[in-house]
Amino acid sequence: MTPIRGALYERNLVHHAEVRDLPHVVTNSLPIPYFGDVEAYDASDLRIVTAALNPSREEFPVGGPARFDLKEGLSGQEGLETQLSNYFKHKPYTRWFGNFEHVLNGMGATYGGHMRGRDNRRTALHLDLCSPIATNPTWSKLDAATRESLRGPGRALFELAVQALEPDIIIASVGPKHLTGWRKELAPGPHWEEILGYKVKENGQPFVSPLVVCVTSAAFGTERLIPFANGSASIKPFVNFATSRKRTAGEALLRWLKTNGE
C-alpha cells in the first residue's frame, strides 16, 4: 500500500466517523473512496475510472445479503482496501453498474468479478464525485444545505483518490447542473467536444433530447489535465443508450484517447 493510498483510506474513515450519525447517512455503512480491484487496475495498460455522484443506499441493503463486511471495512486501512477490492467479486449492484460495464467493454475493459461478460484485459474502478458516503434519500433529493456540507469534503476526497489512482480517463453520466455545481470548469460550454451523438432511437423514433457523449479535460488536484467524459444522464448511467450504443460509446472514447492522449 502506497502512503497516498493509506492516506486516502484513513481520511475516508475519519470523514465517515464524523458524519455517520447524521440522519441522512445510511446506517451500517462504509465510506467508499472507490469500488473495484485496485491491484488489477494497477496492472492495466489504460487506467479507466467511472464516476457518479455518491454511493447508493442499495450498497447497504436492509435485510438482504450484505455486499460488504462492515467490521473488516471499518477496522483500518488494510481492511477497507480489502473490502473495496472484493466488491465486484462478491455481490455487486449489477443493475446499476451493468450500464457502465457495456461502455467499458467497448474500451477493452471491465469491472471484473461478477460483472465480467467477456475477456477484457483492462480493469476499471468506480469513484464518486460528490461524496464517498451513501445517503438516504439519494443525492438529488437531499436538501441544498446537506449536499453542500458533504460536497466540500467529498470533492477533496475525490481529488485525493485521483492523485492516488492516477487515472488516464474519468467517465461519468451526470446531469450538467451537478457538474456545474461541483466544478465550474465542467459547466456546459465550447470546451466540451462532442464525440458521439444520437438523435433517434434504434427503431427510428426521435429522442426528445439527443443522446451525446462529450469530452473535456480538467485538473483534479493534479498537475496534469485528465480527460473527463460525460454521457447523457438519467437515473442510471448511460441507461437511455441501447446496449450496442453503450459499447459504441466506449469504442469512441478509446479512439479519442488514442488520438488525443499524451
Side-chain angles (χ1 to χ4, degrees):
M1 183 188 302
T2 63
I4 192 169
R5 289 192 184 170
L8 173 66
Y9 304 143
E10 190 62 31
R11 284 180 59 179
N12 271 269
L13 289 166
V14 169
H15 177 55
H16 180 261
E18 292 171 344
V19 302
R20 64 185 175 192
D21 293 328
L22 297 177
H24 52 265
V25 174
V26 173
T27 56
N28 297 317
S29 63
L30 288 174
I32 306 180
Y34 63 83
F35 295 81
D37 186 340
V38 73
E39 184 175 339
Y41 168 85
D42 284 340
S44 300
D45 66 332
L46 182 66
R47 297 184 302 275
I48 304 168
V49 301
T50 59
L53 299 176
N54 76 314
S56 170
R57 61 191 177 193
E58 297 298 328
E59 301 298 352
F60 307 97
V62 177
R67 304 188 196 279
F68 296 96
D69 182 329
L70 299 184
K71 183 177 181 181
E72 180 178 26
L74 293 173
S75 67
Q77 298 174 17
E78 292 184 0
L80 181 57
E81 181 175 77
T82 296
Q83 288 303 302
L84 301 174
S85 285
N86 286 341
Y87 176 78
F88 290 109
K89 304 172 187 175
H90 181 50
K91 192 173 177 60
Y93 185 16
T94 56
R95 288 189 294 113
W96 196 90
F97 282 106
N99 295 284
F100 264 137
E101 176 72 9
H102 294 300
V103 178
L104 294 173
N105 291 166
M107 304 180 76
T110 179
Y111 287 125
H114 292 297
M115 299 299 302
R116 185 188 295 274
R118 61 187 71 206
D119 184 23
N120 294 291
R121 65 186 182 278
R122 302 173 177 123
T123 299
L125 301 180
H126 178 81
L127 285 68
D128 284 296
L129 296 165
C130 295
S131 179
I133 304 298
T135 58
N136 186 10
T138 58
W139 186 265
S140 296
K141 294 182 179 179
L142 291 172
D143 63 81
T146 298
R147 286 199 302 269
E148 191 59 33
S149 70
L150 290 173
R151 186 161 43 208
R155 174 172 162 168
L157 290 170
F158 176 84
E159 292 184 344
L160 182 58
V162 170
Q163 294 170 42
L165 298 169
E166 299 182 303
D168 295 309
I169 186 170
I170 301 169
I171 305 170
S173 181
V174 174
K177 70 175 183 179
H178 292 298
L179 291 178
T180 301
W182 188 80
R183 185 184 282 272
K184 286 184 171 53
E185 58 260 50
L186 296 182
H191 55 288
W192 285 94
E193 176 185 353
E194 182 177 322
I195 64 167
L196 186 69
Y198 295 105
K199 294 183 178 180
V200 298
K201 302 177 183 179
E202 286 189 316
N203 63 9
Q205 293 182 341
F207 286 113
V208 175
S209 298
L211 300 182
V212 297
V213 179
C214 299
V215 183
T216 188
S217 295
F220 297 92
T222 60
E223 293 184 359
R224 68 184 179 97
L225 294 176
I226 299 173
F228 186 97
N230 194 54
S232 295
S234 188
I235 296 174
K236 296 176 183 176
F238 288 88
V239 72
N240 290 331
F241 289 73
T243 297
S244 62
R245 289 177 170 182
K246 292 183 180 77
R247 184 175 179 87
T248 299
E251 293 168 348
L253 286 168
L254 188 59
R255 286 195 301 272
W256 186 92
L257 280 173
K258 289 179 177 178
T259 301
N260 296 277
E262 296 179 358

